Amino acid sequence: MPCDPATRAGAILEIDLGMIVANWRLLVKKVQPAGCAAVVKANAYGLGAAPVASVLLATGCRRFFVATLDEGLALRRALGPAPEIAVFNGPLPGTAHEFVAARLIPVLNEPGQLEAWRKLPDPSPAIVHLDTGFNRLGLSPAEFEQWHDRLAATGVTGLISHLACADTPDHAHNAAQRMRFLAARQRLPNLNASLAASSGIFLGGDYHFDEVRPGAALYGVNPVPETPNPMGPVIRAAARILQLRKIDRGESVGYGAAHVMDGPGMLATASIGYADGWLRSLSHRGCGWLGGKRVPLLGRVSMDLATFDVTGIPESELYPGNLIELIGPHYGVDDAAADAGTIGYEILTALGARYHRVYREPPAEKSPTENPPIESQRG
């Protein structure tokens, strides 16, 4: 008889949909009277766009942002006709009709997209993106001057921009971008205006305009680095121990013999590697938790395996099949990102397909402190 999926999985990822709802509600309250959309691009930052957007839709969210047309089409199939779905990258040449057919709202980033949308027999609603100093996507100031008086005839109902330095609150670029955006909005007062994403929300009400677009903050990433995280933790990840091994002083561990033991110890090799999104840059720097104690990651992370120093951990915790906590109450997404030399966004979006995923539905009442660790499982 086949084992259940959790038993045969090398690693388990729990996603707390209730905490995502709580995080969205916290942001809704913070930005009132502005509206609060939800960014679910990149498969909701790796956590599953369909379940995440479905629970937010049931909670009251009515607009979702994705990055690509394919993401928009998949989300429309998952959510049905009710919510608005906007696509940041806009229509590639020859795809405008698919946006119309699926009732997707394109973000028009450059004159070619505006021209293609204008040529539709009956232009559907669209959003125009103004580049206020990012120099990535969006109309340049000169292009905005050429197009601003024709936007209404192109079906444009919204105006957005994106902040380059929102996670650095005292950076002068934030105020400069806001002033450029405000000047454009004053010339087009009837458009729904949106400037702030996750970190921008915490710059204050002057940045909220008509609507905000949180993404990473919904998933527990700290939108205000260097200060306590106002968002609740959303994920817990754990990997199963495959093998335990006693090791002597002077012996090496892993590829390249990159770690040499300075004393005798006990190693646990776990079913987690960079193919699962446990980044190779965590080599020599990351850690896990077992029996309530930190267990350092030794040597290099390989494709499917990582080795932890479990010296001194009680024998009752040391058996194949037990779970080493990777992300959880002791070691969060931002902690792993700091050790990997990256940001929480990359940690989330790198999570691979081999985890057994468990979605925790929102309970009737959810306390942010009710976050027990993944239970150890024999088998």
Side-chain angles (χ1 to χ4, degrees), residues 241-242 244 315-323 376-379:
I241 295 173
L242 298 175
L244 295 150
E315 287 189 15
S316 60
E317 298 287 348
L318 299 179
Y319 55 89
N322 198 11
L323 289 161
S376 297
Q377 300 177 36
R378 293 185 181 270

Side-chain angles (χ1 to χ4, degrees), residues 311-337:
T311 307
I313 299 298
E315 287 189 15
S316 60
E317 298 287 348
L318 299 179
Y319 55 89
N322 198 11
L323 289 161
I324 294 178
E325 176 190 298
L326 303 174
I327 295 175
H330 300 102
Y331 188 71
V333 170
D334 292 301
D335 298 318

Side-chain angles (χ1 to χ4, degrees), residues 15-324:
I15 299 154
D16 189 339
L17 296 174
M19 190 58 74
I20 294 175
V21 167
N23 286 339
W24 184 76
R25 285 175 170 163
L26 182 153
L27 297 175
V28 167
K29 185 175 181 180
K30 185 171 184 64
V31 304
Q32 288 177 340
C36 188
V39 178
V40 294
K41 64 180 180 176
N43 198 28
Y45 290 55
L47 304 187
V52 167
S54 294
V55 75
L56 288 175
L57 178 63
T59 304
C61 185
R62 290 294 176 264
R63 178 177 286 189
F64 299 89
F65 284 85
V66 296
T68 68
L69 172 57
D70 281 341
E71 288 182 349
L73 293 172
L75 193 62
R76 177 62 74 206
R77 290 191 294 269
L79 299 186
E84 295 183 354
I85 301 172
V87 180
F88 281 127
N89 290 3
L92 291 170
T95 65
H97 66 286
E98 290 200 64
F99 280 79
V100 175
R103 294 184 53 251
L104 301 176
I105 301 171
V107 176
L108 305 175
N109 296 290
E110 52 90 29
Q113 291 183 345
L114 282 162
E115 190 65 37
W117 202 252
R118 185 182 68 83
K119 289 180 178 179
L120 293 173
D122 184 18
S124 299
I127 297 168
V128 67
H129 185 176
L130 173 63
D131 186 346
T132 55
F134 206 121
N135 285 306
R136 195 175 61 173
L137 289 179
L139 297 181
S140 69
E143 291 166 343
F144 180 75
E145 287 298 326
Q146 295 169 4
W147 276 90
H148 83 272
D149 59 351
R150 292 181 282 167
L151 293 178
T154 309
V156 170
T157 59
L159 175 70
I160 70 168
S161 191
H162 193 52
L163 295 165
C165 304
D167 58 354
T168 309
D170 58 354
H171 201 295
H173 206 57
N174 294 321
Q177 284 194 261
R178 178 188 169 275
M179 292 304 296
R180 293 175 193 138
F181 186 72
L182 179 61
R185 194 273 179 91
Q186 289 173 339
R187 297 173 68 178
L188 297 165
N190 294 326
L191 298 188
N192 186 73
S194 177
L195 176 62
S198 289
S199 294
I201 290 170
F202 291 84
L203 295 176
D206 287 347
Y207 290 81
H208 295 167
F209 291 90
D210 299 311
E211 184 178 70
V212 298
R213 314 182 305 271
L218 296 176
Y219 312 117
V221 173
N222 191 353
V224 282
E226 311 303 328
T227 66
N229 191 351
M231 316 311 299
V234 168
I235 71 165
R236 287 171 284 168
R240 292 196 186 279
I241 295 173
L242 298 175
Q243 181 175 323
L244 295 150
R245 180 189 300 276
K246 290 182 179 179
I247 189 168
D248 291 330
R249 180 180 181 276
E251 290 192 82
S252 64
V253 180
Y255 278 117
H259 178 85
V260 177
M261 298 293 292
D262 58 8
M266 177 72 76
L267 304 182
T269 298
S271 179
I272 193 73
Y274 55 76
D276 306 290
W278 202 241
L279 303 180
R280 194 171 186 269
S281 56
L282 285 164
S283 300
H284 311 288
R285 303 172 66 183
C287 71
W289 285 76
L290 183 62
K293 296 183 179 180
R294 183 181 184 275
V295 290
L297 193 159
L298 299 187
R300 297 177 184 171
V301 177
S302 58
M303 184 179 291
D304 312 301
L305 303 169
T307 302
F308 297 87
D309 184 350
V310 295
T311 307
I313 299 298
E315 287 189 15
S316 60
E317 298 287 348
L318 299 179
Y319 55 89
N322 198 11
L323 289 161
I324 294 178

